[in-house]
Amino acid sequence: MQTVAFHSYRGGVGKTLLSVNTAVQLAKFGKKVCLVDFDLRAPSLQSYITSESVFSLDQNDFVSFTEFLIGKGSPEEVINPTKLENFYVVVSDIEILQNKSQTRSKLTQHGEGRILAKLFEFIRYCNSQEFEFLIIDCMPGVTYRSLDALVVSDKIMIITRPVKSEITGLGLVISECYSKLDDTKFYAIMNQIETIQDLKNQPNQMDLKIAQDNLKGIASTLKNNNLEIDILHSFRRVPFVTERIYVLLEDPHPFTKEIQEFCQKLISL
Amino acid sequence: MSKRKGQEIFEIPSEEDLAEYIHKGKKVIQHIEEGKTPIYFKPKRQHPKITFTIIFILVLSSSVIIMVPAMISIFSSINPSTNQTTTQTTYTTQTTIPSGEDPVTLSQSVNQLETFLYQFIPENYSNFAPFMENNSINTSKRITFQEILDFIWLLSQDRDSEWRDLGRNLLYTEYRIWENTSIETESLDLKAHSLRALLSYPQKEVPLIGTEKSSYENRCSLLWNSIKEAVDITSNTISFQENVSIRIADEQIIFLDILCAGTTHGELFNYNELQGYAKNILETLDEIITNINGIPEDFFSNLTEFNPIYSFKDQGHLFLALHALDHSFDLGSLAQSLIQRLDSFIWNYLTRVDWSCNSYYNNTSHKGSNVLASYDQGLMIRNHILMDRLSSANYTANTLRQKLSMSNGGYIISNIKNSSAYLIDQVQILVAFKELIELKNAHESTTGPSMASFWGLQPILIMIIGLSIKRLRERKRKR
Ligand SMILES: Nc1ncnc2c1ncn2[C@@H]1O[C@H](COP(=O)(O)OP(=O)(O)OP(=O)(O)O)[C@@H](O)[C@H]1O
Ligand SMILES: [Mg+2]
């Protein structure tokens, strides 16, 4: 089994959109996949899943992953099979964080490695159930909980957008955090790349130059460390993408093709 | 309102705590793996002296534990079959791409291919068969001059002596291309192919002396002078057809090949001149292929309008050329950034679900062809190898071996002329397979456990112990 975490320094870069679509597509390619919402701060997988009728899952069907993490549930209880063959989901609930202060402090503090141990126990369980991919949607930035996900993963997908503020953040998170995870493989994923085609109607040379400089900035930030992080895939900025699972659509959406290509690479790693 | 609760309360470690958390987190994992109950920890050191002493004792005892069996194994090393135990623990099993249930190994395929290829090669090298139809060579078909030139260029890329020697032999002994004065009257395109073949072996491998050598050098210079005339200095592109504003991808790529090959002939070429051309052309390509990042078959008059057809052959050739350029010249990040973009183009548009590649892609209809050309698959494998993607290279090689029909050990282009096998295709696949075997061996030799790992561990252990003592002393001094 491969445990693949989607992480970023900043929030809102597309971790959830990419990890959900990737997980579903891998399942459609016949891989047994478990997708885990480990963004305990702002869990959003549940809304993706319940709004797609194909899964036929209801808001009330889920036991939150946080229950398991604090020692109250078993792995079987939190893993939800779906109508889509090979696709299983684990969702987290934000309510718990907001209403129960005891649970909250258990989950938010470093937990002396307890949450990490639970997460790892969960991964071992998935491994025993012959999952081929465990996809983890992480909390952004460097918190103890994102570290947990990073420590237990085999491969980490670092999502970045080509904007200046993220280049600095990327450099920071590489030197402070990733560089200390010595036996993990890192891959960079660019998201929301503008293509010239998309810019055709606004041939603004200044913007074009900034965009190109940012791409170069990311490439050199990825290069200037001893981790050897390659850019695994670049996703275009697709107009009118919202929080949906595009790979489920009958009509091929431009985003679907991109995800399919990315999945092929993931399988081949 | 209550949103804040969930948003801000997750603890962020300091840089020091972070390193420690990761370190201890891995220990927890290891304990679980080994079936022990995990020892939970406090990231912030409250009793530095105690924890430190414990770590120190742990290091000492673990080094003793590691050293004792190692010593035993050294003393018993008279017996070469001593078991090696590795202390490495992995906590998850990795799935790999299915390697295909092909009972024929890659080196067996290479053998079959070589046997197949010999059928094309006549005893006196005089009349190569360009292709085979329905399993038999049609001797009335003659190989063209350009095919011979490309054949030599391809053979020179094989690192193995036999095929590499064949190319050299054809160039310098059998065909003696530089003596062929009629090249001067040929098209620029053929001149470029000729020069590329003439330069395909580096200067130190040119087996010519005296007047032969000077006549060879003279031919190269003449060809170079007429080819570089075709560089358009305003657009920084090359065009082999006069007064035609369309730029062909293939021509740019051959020119780049020549520039690279030129660097291995220091007596004939001025390195700076070559580098200047390389830089200019790459910069132009960098600018004009930003559209979808691959190279279209041709660019129309103003160089910003493209033919919508992108052939894999061009992408694959450009990929090889870019790697060679990156190797031969100091181009900053130019070649690398183009390589990255081209690579992502290939993945995005030309790689199919079955791990083979489309022979072309039409940007207007967003359709790839369903033709599997063996030459293209060979190129694709070589592209993967250049990016050190062993598993992808393997997979494409397996797809190739399974999908393309094999007759007499040769790989035939499927879908189009189902019954023909072309010489150049077979050689491209041969080169690719041999490179793949080399890459596999390289990967294997870096992962095999050996006694070296123990000797490699020694200095690290000594260093850890040394550092521990040093830190202990420092702590005492501070007190
Ligand atoms: N390639 C893209 N093209 C267009 N829109 C995109 C693309 N990628 C992401 N988005 C949009 O950006 C927004 C943020 O994406 P998403 O929520 O997946 O990011 P995230 O990193 O998971 O955020 P958070 O850190 O808050 O969890 C979403 O509205 C999503 O639809
Ligand atoms: Mg998210």
Side-chain angles (χ1 to χ4, degrees):
Chain A
M1 185 179 81
Q2 293 202 34
T3 308
V4 183
F6 283 67
H7 187 242
S8 66
Y9 183 71
R10 281 257 224 115
V13 299
K15 287 183 301 301
T16 308
L17 182 77
L18 295 181
S19 56
V20 175
N21 280 279
T22 299
V24 173
Q25 184 58 53
L26 284 171
K28 291 185 82 180
F29 278 156
K31 304 282 172 194
K32 189 172 175 187
V33 182
C34 182
L35 172 63
V36 181
D37 191 352
F38 195 59
D39 186 351
L40 307 180
R41 172 155 54 186
S44 49
L45 182 56
Q46 193 166 351
S47 74
Y48 270 83
I49 299 298
T50 48
S51 56
E52 298 289 349
S53 56
V54 275
F55 296 126
S56 45
L57 281 171
D58 187 81
Q59 191 108 22
N60 305 317
D61 290 336
F62 302 104
V63 176
S64 172
F65 192 43
T66 47
E67 293 282 295
F68 166 78
L69 291 174
I70 59 165
K72 283 190 180 160
S74 64
E76 305 94 282
E77 277 176 286
V78 291
I79 300 179
N80 301 287
T82 65
K83 277 272 159 65
L84 178 68
E85 209 191 346
N86 292 321
F87 184 62
Y88 297 76
V89 280
V90 175
V91 305
S92 292
D93 189 351
I94 198 162
E95 293 299 315
I96 295 176
L97 274 186
Q98 303 195 327
N99 302 334
K100 300 183 188 160
S101 67
Q102 235 193 336
T103 315
R104 186 164 65 232
S105 61
K106 275 188 184 163
L107 287 171
T108 52
Q109 284 150 26
H110 47 70
E112 298 165 350
R114 281 171 209 274
I115 301 290
L116 171 67
K118 285 306 267 184
L119 183 62
F120 187 62
E121 183 193 324
F122 180 79
I123 287 173
R124 277 171 42 106
Y125 175 79
C126 289
N127 204 11
S128 74
Q129 298 302 301
E130 290 174 4
F131 280 99
E132 287 165 281
F133 281 96
L134 187 75
I135 307 285
I136 305 180
D137 184 8
C138 297
M139 192 183 294
V142 184
T143 63
Y144 282 108
R145 289 302 78 81
S146 22
L147 286 179
D148 290 343
L150 298 182
V151 169
V152 299
S153 299
D154 308 315
K155 301 201 165 84
I156 294 169
M157 303 292 139
I158 311 164
I159 324 287
T160 346
R161 291 176 306 173
V163 294
K164 203 149 218 146
S165 54
E166 274 175 41
I167 301 175
T168 334
L170 180 66
L172 206 73
V173 80
I174 290 176
S175 69
E176 270 195 8
C177 180
Y178 299 154
S179 62
K180 301 193 169 88
L181 289 152
D182 34 30
D183 41 12
T184 312
K185 280 296 277 171
F186 293 92
Y187 299 93
I189 294 174
M190 302 261 227
N191 191 19
Q192 305 192 11
I193 300 279
E194 301 276 11
T195 62
I196 293 275
Q197 258 169 345
D198 299 329
L199 291 174
K200 227 172 202 165
N201 302 328
Q202 299 144 282
N204 180 331
Q205 286 306 311
M206 183 72 189
D207 287 344
L208 219 66
K209 178 149 183 0
I210 291 174
Q212 278 170 349
D213 285 348
N214 287 341
L215 283 176
K216 282 181 191 151
I218 288 187
S220 77
T221 307
L222 290 172
K223 248 192 176 171
N224 293 331
N225 61 73
N226 46 14
L227 284 181
E228 291 187 355
I229 307 174
D230 290 332
I231 298 178
L232 185 62
H233 194 87
S234 299
F235 286 95
R236 284 179 50 206
R237 183 208 290 279
V238 184
F240 301 115
V241 160
T242 59
E243 289 163 7
R244 280 183 65 193
I245 309 181
Y246 289 93
V247 297
L248 288 172
L249 299 178
E250 279 303 326
D251 291 337
H253 189 275
F255 192 61
T256 305
K257 189 155 196 308
E258 299 226 31
I259 290 282
Q260 284 179 343
E261 280 139 15
F262 172 66
C263 286
Q264 288 171 356
K265 295 182 195 175
L266 203 57
I267 294 168
S268 79
L269 286 179
Chain B
M1 23 150 262
S2 64
K3 198 175 171 222
R4 199 185 163 274
K5 279 188 197 163
Q7 295 289 312
E8 301 298 334
I9 49 182
F10 283 91
E11 277 195 51
I12 295 171
S14 70
E15 210 186 333
E16 196 191 348
D17 286 344
L18 183 147
E20 200 172 345
Y21 187 83
I22 290 176
H23 177 73
K24 292 189 171 170
K26 286 187 176 171
K27 276 251 165 69
V28 169
I29 283 177
Q30 199 179 332
H31 274 232
I32 300 176
E33 272 284 302
E34 291 164 3
K36 300 179 204 158
T37 19
I39 302 162
Y40 299 123
F41 54 84
K42 298 218 185 313
K44 292 199 178 70
R45 250 185 269 135
Q46 266 136 8
H47 307 290
K49 197 172 165 233
I50 298 168
T51 38
F52 186 69
T53 318
I54 291 170
I55 293 173
F56 180 66
I57 291 167
L58 268 176
V59 166
L60 257 185
S61 53
S62 66
S63 59
V64 168
I65 291 165
I66 294 169
M67 270 159 151
V68 168
M71 283 319 220
I72 293 167
S73 77
I74 290 167
F75 289 123
S76 63
S77 63
I78 318 133
N79 174 9
S81 64
T82 313
N83 287 359
Q84 295 283 335
T85 47
T86 45
T87 47
Q88 201 187 3
T89 46
T90 44
Y91 49 83
T92 45
T93 44
Q94 302 244 330
T95 48
T96 43
I97 298 179
S99 56
E101 303 309 315
D102 196 344
V104 182
T105 65
L106 201 56
S107 38
Q108 280 170 313
S109 288
V110 167
N111 287 341
Q112 288 176 340
L113 258 175
E114 287 183 330
T115 317
F116 182 70
L117 261 170
Y118 284 128
Q119 299 178 63
F120 289 88
I121 304 171
E123 259 176 45
N124 54 2
Y125 300 121
S126 61
N127 192 7
F128 275 81
F131 67 93
M132 195 179 242
E133 256 172 330
N134 301 321
N135 286 333
S136 63
I137 300 260
N138 180 343
T139 42
S140 67
K141 298 271 183 349
R142 288 180 148 251
I143 198 163
T144 65
F145 184 50
Q146 190 179 319
E147 276 169 329
I148 277 289
L149 296 171
D150 293 346
F151 184 47
I152 291 169
W153 168 249
L154 192 51
L155 287 173
S156 77
Q157 286 165 47
D158 188 72
R159 279 186 283 270
D160 179 85
S161 57
E162 192 188 347
W163 295 98
R164 196 178 164 79
D165 284 350
L166 171 65
R168 202 182 8 234
N169 192 15
L170 293 177
L171 175 59
Y172 296 109
T173 316
E174 301 301 329
Y175 285 86
R176 301 173 67 85
I177 288 156
W178 70 95
E179 289 180 348
N180 186 343
T181 47
S182 67
I183 298 175
E184 293 302 332
T185 59
E186 292 285 357
S187 70
L188 265 181
D189 195 26
L190 201 67
K191 281 182 179 170
H193 281 269
S194 305
L195 182 59
R196 186 171 70 161
L198 282 168
L199 300 174
S200 55
Y201 290 84
Q203 192 170 292
K204 58 178 190 290
E205 287 183 48
V206 178
L208 304 174
I209 43 164
T211 49
E212 287 212 312
K213 183 168 182 251
S214 50
S215 115
Y216 164 81
E217 289 177 350
N218 191 30
R219 178 71 58 220
C220 290
S221 300
L222 284 173
L223 287 172
W224 170 237
N225 286 334
S226 48
I227 287 163
K228 71 182 182 187
E229 293 259 295
V231 174
D232 173 15
I233 45 169
T234 50
S235 68
N236 279 323
T237 52
I238 194 155
S239 177
F240 294 156
Q241 288 142 289
E242 265 172 74
N243 303 325
V244 175
S245 54
I246 292 172
R247 294 293 183 269
I248 317 270
D250 192 38
E251 294 177 357
Q252 320 301 316
I253 297 164
I254 286 184
F255 188 62
L256 293 175
D257 285 343
I258 291 172
L259 296 176
C260 278
T263 61
T264 65
H265 292 260
E267 286 174 13
L268 275 171
F269 292 90
N270 175 333
Y271 178 84
N272 290 336
E273 186 190 14
L274 296 176
Q275 169 151 306
Y277 282 122
K279 234 183 186 133
N280 286 344
I281 297 229
L282 282 200
E283 270 166 10
T284 309
L285 289 182
D286 190 45
E287 256 169 55
I288 60 185
I289 72 177
T290 43
N291 193 351
I292 71 168
N293 291 338
I295 190 163
E297 280 189 341
D298 43 46
F299 307 90
F300 303 125
S301 51
N302 63 6
L303 297 184
T304 52
E305 265 177 79
F306 309 135
N307 177 342
I309 306 295
Y310 291 70
S311 107
F312 183 80
K313 220 177 229 175
D314 290 338
Q315 320 303 321
H317 282 156
L318 183 58
F319 207 80
L320 294 182
L322 286 170
H323 274 273
L325 285 161
D326 194 32
H327 215 256
S328 312
F329 298 106
D330 175 19
L331 298 164
S333 60
L334 193 55
Q336 274 303 328
S337 86
L338 267 163
I339 286 170
Q340 294 298 341
R341 285 164 46 199
L342 189 59
D343 190 43
S344 99
F345 173 77
I346 292 172
W347 279 102
N348 283 343
Y349 298 98
L350 291 152
T351 311
R352 303 160 19 137
V353 183
D354 62 6
W355 298 92
S356 49
C357 59
N358 291 305
S359 57
Y360 72 84
Y361 168 75
N362 186 331
N363 186 33
T364 322
S365 65
H366 294 286
K367 279 214 170 73
S369 70
N370 51 16
V371 172
L372 277 184
S374 17
Y375 185 93
D376 294 354
Q377 311 304 319
L379 265 181
M380 171 105 154
I381 294 167
R382 297 182 67 195
N383 290 176
H384 282 316
I385 291 168
L386 283 172
M387 301 301 275
D388 196 30
R389 279 192 296 255
L390 178 60
S391 49
S392 311
N394 255 334
Y395 209 98
T396 309
N398 286 340
T399 309
L400 176 66
R401 288 157 63 199
Q402 283 161 9
K403 281 229 165 148
L404 300 181
S405 54
M406 220 171 58
S407 66
N408 284 345
Y411 293 87
I412 283 171
I413 295 181
S414 70
N415 293 0
I416 27 173
K417 286 176 189 158
N418 225 334
S419 53
S420 318
Y422 287 80
L423 172 65
I424 287 281
D425 294 349
Q426 311 301 314
V427 181
Q428 184 67 266
I429 297 168
L430 181 74
V431 173
F433 281 5
K434 286 169 86 174
E435 284 178 359
L436 181 54
I437 290 175
E438 223 169 88
L439 183 72
K440 271 187 177 163
N441 292 341
H443 273 247
E444 269 159 27
S445 68
T446 53
T447 52
S450 68
M451 268 310 282
S453 60
F454 167 70
W455 294 113
L457 221 72
Q458 278 292 51
I460 297 170
L461 277 175
I462 291 167
M463 206 171 76
I464 292 173
I465 295 170
L467 276 177
S468 310
I469 294 170
K470 198 178 153 207
R471 281 179 70 183
L472 252 184
R473 282 199 186 133
E474 272 168 12
R475 254 169 227 291
K476 277 192 185 144
R477 217 178 301 142
K478 268 186 201 157
R479 246 156 244 253

